[in-house]
Amino acid sequence: MHPWLIRNKMRLFRSIIQLCVFLIVFGVIFDLAFAAIIVPFIQPTGAPYTTVAGAYDILLTSLAFGIFPLLAIGIILLTAVFLGRTPCAWACPFGFVEDLLSYIRPKKHVKPITRQNDNSLRQIRLYILIATILISTIIGIRRLQRSSTGIVGAFGPFANNSFAPIDPAATLFSFLPHFFANILFFLPPSYEKLYQLGGWPVLLWIRVAVLVIIVLVSVYVPRAWCRYFCPLGGILGYCGKYGLLTLKRNPIRCPKGECDDCMKVCPMGVRLLDTGAGEELEKVRDDNCILCLECVNACKHDALSLSFI
């Protein structure tokens, strides 16, 4: 087998799985029916041709209409406990797009993010999580009180789903397809329709700008959105650190300090060699570990393994 295939066999296998999931998620193109299945990864419910609904979108939309999202919460928590952030690595369509961006990453050395900056940037997804849930909950309460007209108008496009207007996945898979469909099929397209299509004209450009920035940053910082901004990834990561499916490192086999191949291939920048000492098998408790298993494939000492419980 070619050395490149040996080094990248896990990545190639994961890419095949991601592609299959991507085609199923947008399977309406292939005459698959919408299955009304709630999935534990970011997937905008308004995306054309989608066959599933993202749990975080369902959670926020339900809260915004005064409905307790028991099913969405259950799916998210059960996934976190049993699988951790596995869906981020193996199923998320936007994560797949970010992985594809890694193939065009400049070959020159890019200075890694320091531990202090990495920890600080991770807080952003927590702020997004709190803000989006808080906004949706307040709007939902006001709707139940029959006094939502003012607040719904104030929040505009954030009223029904407080996350969608800033979600690059929603922009890429939902907003832009609808936008270009209107340009192509409403002939001749009027400037008024294009002006009104994004709800707010300023928001239209903000959404596109957020997507472009995330894409550009992800070229240099692998999976930047997943690392620092995705609120659902934050929930799965925070809970998954103490979940049943974990990555373990054998400190006896691992020549810590002499080899860092595992850290070099990690798309999430997890510091795998910084796990605690004193255990026969040290659990990698990092909320950014998506269990992609690229480190397991890269380890020449068989020091890393996937473990259930």
Side-chain angles (χ1 to χ4, degrees):
M1 185 181 292
H2 193 277
W4 187 89
L5 290 176
I6 295 175
R7 291 195 307 269
N8 295 278
K9 62 181 180 180
M10 182 58 67
R11 184 179 184 182
L12 291 173
F13 175 67
R14 187 164 63 89
S15 295
I16 293 172
I17 299 297
Q18 288 175 296
L19 177 60
C20 292
V21 174
F22 187 92
L23 294 176
I24 293 173
V25 166
F26 296 100
V28 174
I29 298 175
F30 311 107
D31 292 329
L32 294 180
F34 179 75
I37 296 174
I38 301 177
V39 292
F41 50 80
I42 293 294
Q43 177 59 23
T45 53
Y49 309 116
T50 187
T51 58
V52 297
Y56 197 65
D57 267 41
I58 296 296
L59 185 150
L60 293 179
T61 303
S62 298
L63 287 175
F65 283 91
I67 303 169
F68 185 73
L70 180 62
L71 182 58
I73 292 175
I75 289 173
I76 292 172
L77 292 181
L78 285 174
T79 300
V81 171
F82 286 97
L83 299 175
R85 291 193 67 175
T86 303
C88 303
W90 298 84
C92 179
F94 195 75
F96 179 44
V97 172
E98 286 190 288
D99 284 338
L100 292 178
L101 292 172
S102 67
Y103 289 103
I104 62 173
R105 184 169 300 123
K107 299 298 182 181
K108 63 180 181 179
H109 178 70
V110 178
K111 187 176 180 180
I113 297 175
T114 64
R115 179 197 294 270
Q116 182 179 359
N117 290 337
D118 180 67
N119 291 335
S120 298
L121 288 169
R122 292 190 193 194
Q123 301 303 311
I124 297 175
R125 64 190 179 196
L126 178 61
Y127 299 143
I128 294 175
L129 173 66
I130 294 173
T132 52
I133 291 180
L134 186 61
I135 290 172
S136 295
T137 302
I138 292 172
I139 292 174
I141 293 173
R142 296 297 294 271
R143 278 188 165 127
L144 289 175
Q145 295 173 341
R146 310 283 185 183
S147 58
S148 62
T149 304
I151 195 168
V152 168
F155 280 101
F158 291 87
N160 293 340
N161 186 329
S162 55
F163 178 58
I166 61 170
D167 178 15
T171 302
L172 179 62
F173 299 131
S174 179
F175 178 78
L176 290 181
H178 283 303
F179 181 85
F180 287 112
N182 274 270
I183 293 177
L184 292 174
F185 296 111
F186 287 95
L187 298 176
S190 69
Y191 290 105
E192 183 180 358
K193 285 180 181 177
L194 294 180
Y195 182 84
Q196 295 175 349
L197 190 59
W200 292 346
V202 174
L203 182 62
L204 184 154
W205 297 109
I206 291 176
R207 295 185 69 158
V208 174
V210 169
L211 174 61
V212 170
I213 291 171
I214 292 298
V215 167
L216 291 177
V217 173
S218 296
V219 171
Y220 294 93
V221 181
R223 282 184 168 254
W225 171 259
C226 306
R227 289 193 194 193
Y228 305 124
F229 305 103
C230 180
L232 179 57
I235 297 174
L236 296 178
Y238 297 141
C239 300
K241 283 198 302 183
Y242 307 99
L244 301 179
L245 189 64
T246 59
L247 192 67
K248 292 185 178 180
R249 183 175 69 90
N250 189 326
I252 298 176
R253 292 183 177 181
C254 177
K256 185 175 180 179
E258 300 176 11
C259 172
D260 62 351
D261 289 346
C262 55
M263 294 175 60
K264 289 179 180 178
V265 300
C266 179
M268 297 292 285
V270 175
R271 292 174 171 80
L272 293 155
L273 301 180
D274 293 347
T275 53
E279 302 178 36
E280 182 179 351
L281 289 176
E282 300 171 350
K283 290 185 177 181
V284 178
R285 298 193 185 278
D286 191 299
D287 52 38
N288 260 351
C289 179
I290 57 176
L291 297 173
C292 64
L293 304 183
E294 291 196 25
C295 58
V296 176
N297 180 69
C299 182
K300 300 185 292 288
H301 310 281
D302 292 327
L304 293 165
S305 60
L306 189 66
S307 175
F308 191 77
I309 303 178

